[in-house]
Amino acid sequence: MTYPLNDLVTSLFTTGTSLTQAVLALFHLILAFGHFCLDKVIQFAQTCTLLGLELFRGVAGFVVANFFVLLVLAGGYYWWSTRYQGRNRRRVVTKRK
């Protein structure tokens, strides 16, 4: 009579361990899937940030280069106007009554 009872206990124990392993495997699968998705989201955010920084660097370089050109042109105009325009100025004499 002990053999069938022993087989029943062994079967219940084996079933319990199998169910526990299945639940743990499912939990591991959910964690691995979450880790995979989070990794891809972080990688996508890094790629978008890198794209934005590269684009901003290109735009910022363009703006700085244009500002430098405008600064050189304005400096050249200021130098030319103070050097050559002073010679051609005519004095306007007003008559007093």
Side-chain angles (χ1 to χ4, degrees):
M1 186 75 175
T2 60
Y3 292 118
L5 187 59
N6 193 14
D7 289 343
L8 177 66
V9 170
T10 305
S11 296
L12 290 176
F13 182 74
T14 305
T15 305
T17 56
S18 295
L19 284 173
T20 304
Q21 287 178 351
V23 168
L24 289 177
L26 183 64
F27 184 67
H28 183 265
L29 175 71
I30 291 170
L31 285 179
F33 182 69
H35 182 265
F36 175 77
C37 290
L38 185 64
D39 185 45
K40 292 303 174 188
V41 167
I42 289 173
Q43 186 178 6
F44 180 70
Q46 287 176 344
T47 303
C48 289
T49 303
L50 184 64
L51 175 68
L53 288 175
E54 289 290 327
L55 184 64
F56 178 74
R57 186 175 73 179
V59 170
F62 179 74
V63 169
V64 169
N66 281 332
F67 181 74
F68 182 72
V69 167
L70 289 175
L71 189 65
V72 167
L73 290 175
Y77 176 73
Y78 176 77
W79 175 77
W80 178 78
S81 66
T82 56
R83 182 170 173 105
Y84 292 112
Q85 294 296 324
R87 294 181 186 168
N88 295 334
R89 285 189 185 164
R90 295 183 184 166
R91 268 195 170 169
V92 176
V93 179
T94 57
K95 294 183 182 178
R96 292 185 187 179
K97 285 188 175 180

